């Protein structure tokens, strides 16, 4: 479903089945719209279209299927597009507990397997086809890792946060230029830290928002201003810029 004002929405269009809302991911830039989805099989499904001023989507080719790793069961996709226009999709393989990153740069192929993890997200830097994937090896009270791709052929080794008290399932992640911006909840505080492409460590932490009791989100605009939002203990939305 789509909208021009966020209030009135078009009729829904089915994009296939999935076990829950985590089984799809969306990308929009200008009038370009793409999605990726899974349905607990070894396949990845994606489609793209054009956003129209009346709030509808003009779809291009029919939904495409990427045949993934044999015997995989994929969940929780994340989609990104690099500066050269190549599509990247990360998926959690429930069969072996790994994060796989796939790309159509030069034809669909798996570019990275991070090994055992509980969640991952692929992100695109603004230049040179560079990418990042953020993931956590075990759920809760462990470090969060980042690996970066040089835009040619090489993924750098993982760089872990110094703190080991984070939970990636209650975090927010967004890229600005060549910076991965991460916000996590620590002792009811939305805590911000970042990783710049080419650095060997995450930044020190900053308290971005107090009284965070639920999931947290981080977003940015064209001027790279960051906004953080969460819920307080009374289920009110709280935010800071």
């Amino acid at each position: 479903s789509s909208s021009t004002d966020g209030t009135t929405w078009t009729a829904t269009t089915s994009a296939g089945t999935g076990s829950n809302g985590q089984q799809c991911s969306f990308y929009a830039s200008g009038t370009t719209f793409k999605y990726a989805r899974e349905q607990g099989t070894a396949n990845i499904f994606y489609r793209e279209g054009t956003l129209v001023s009346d709030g509808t989507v003009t779809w291009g080719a029919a939904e495409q299927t990427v045949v993934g790793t044999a015997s995989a069961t994929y969940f929780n996709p994340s989609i990104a597009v690099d500066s050269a226009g190549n599509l990247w999709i990360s998926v959690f393989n429930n069969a072996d507990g790994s994060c796989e990153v796939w790309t159509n740069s030069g034809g669909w192929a798996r570019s990275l397997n991070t090994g055992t993890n509980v969640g991952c997200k692929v992100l695109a830097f603004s230049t040179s086809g560079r990418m990042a994937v953020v993931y956590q090896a075990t759920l809760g009270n462990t470090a969060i890792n980042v690996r970066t791709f040089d835009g040619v052929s090489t993924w750098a080794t993982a760089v872990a946060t110094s703190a080991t008290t984070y939970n990636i399932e209650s975090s927010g992640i967004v890229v600005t230029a060549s910076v991965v911006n991460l916000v996590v909840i620590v002792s009811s505080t939305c805590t911000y830290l970042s990783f710049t492409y080419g650095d060997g460590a995450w930044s020190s932490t900053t308290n971005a928002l107090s009284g965070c009791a639920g999931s947290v989100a981080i977003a940015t605009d064209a001027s790279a201003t960051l906004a953080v939002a969460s819920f307080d203990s009374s289920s009110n939305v709280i935010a800071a810029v």
Side-chain angles (χ1 to χ4, degrees), residues 70-217:
S71 302
T73 51
Y74 290 140
F75 293 104
N76 301 350
S78 172
I79 187 173
V81 177
D82 68 22
S83 58
N86 299 306
L87 185 63
W88 295 72
I89 301 172
S90 66
V91 284
F92 173 68
N93 182 354
N94 195 54
D96 63 6
S98 68
C99 173
E100 298 182 12
V101 180
W102 290 73
T103 180
N104 67 350
S105 175
W108 280 105
R110 190 178 72 182
S111 178
L112 177 69
N113 185 321
T114 66
T116 302
N117 78 100
V118 294
C120 60
K121 183 174 183 179
V122 66
L123 305 153
F125 292 120
S126 62
T127 60
S128 305
R130 295 170 177 169
M131 303 295 296
V133 60
V134 179
Y135 64 97
Q136 189 170 33
T138 57
L139 184 61
N141 296 322
T142 58
I144 290 178
N145 304 282
V146 62
R147 292 186 66 175
T148 57
F149 178 70
D150 65 1
V152 181
S153 61
T154 303
W155 285 91
T157 57
V159 178
T161 57
S162 58
T164 58
T165 55
Y166 299 150
N167 184 340
I168 198 169
E169 289 195 345
S170 58
S171 69
I173 309 167
V174 71
V175 161
T176 51
S178 294
V179 180
V180 175
N181 303 275
L182 172 68
V183 61
V184 293
I185 299 177
V186 180
S187 301
S188 300
T189 298
C190 289
T191 302
Y192 169 83
L193 63 161
S194 63
F195 181 87
T196 301
Y197 179 89
D199 283 358
W202 289 81
S203 73
S204 58
T205 59
T206 301
N207 293 339
L209 184 64
S210 299
C212 302
S215 296
V216 61

